[in-house]
Amino acid sequence: MGTVAGKVRGAGEGTKASSDKIAQTEMGKQDFGKAHETALTGYQTGIQKLAKCAQSFVTASADFAARLEASKGGYEWVESENTQKVSK
C-alpha cells in the first residue's frame, strides 16, 4: 500500500508543475491571427478550465494516497493476525 500511495502521490505532483504552467499562458490576440482573434476568449477560458481540472487531479491524488497510507496499518494487522492463526 505504501508503494502504491507513493506512486499515486508522485503522479499528482508531476501534474502540478504542468498545470501551473498551463494556467499561466500568455497568448494574446496576435498569436491567433486576425481571422481568429475572437476565439481567444474561449481559448483562455478553456485553458483555465484544464488547469483547474489538473489541480483537482493533484488534490484527489494526494487525498487518495493519504487514504492508502492510512489503510496500510489495517492490512498489516490482518496479515499478521492471519499468519499467527495459520501457524498455530
Side-chain angles (χ1 to χ4, degrees):
M1 289 292 190
T3 302
V4 172
K7 288 183 180 184
V8 169
R9 183 173 281 114
E13 289 170 354
T15 302
K16 181 177 181 348
S18 297
S19 69
D20 289 345
K21 290 178 186 176
I22 290 169
Q24 297 171 6
T25 185
E26 297 193 18
M27 291 191 76
K29 288 182 180 181
Q30 69 279 4
D31 298 311
F32 274 69
K34 289 185 179 191
H36 303 287
E37 285 179 352
T38 57
L40 177 63
T41 302
Y43 173 81
Q44 289 174 327
T45 301
I47 288 294
Q48 294 305 313
K49 286 181 180 180
L50 285 173
K52 188 174 181 179
C53 287
Q55 288 294 338
S56 294
F57 172 74
V58 171
T59 302
S61 296
D63 180 59
F64 184 53
R67 290 172 187 254
L68 285 172
E69 289 168 342
S71 70
K72 178 177 73 170
Y75 286 106
E76 289 172 350
W77 179 82
V78 169
E79 289 299 315
S80 176
E81 185 73 17
N82 289 340
T83 299
Q84 290 176 8
K85 287 179 182 177
V86 171
S87 297
K88 287 183 179 180

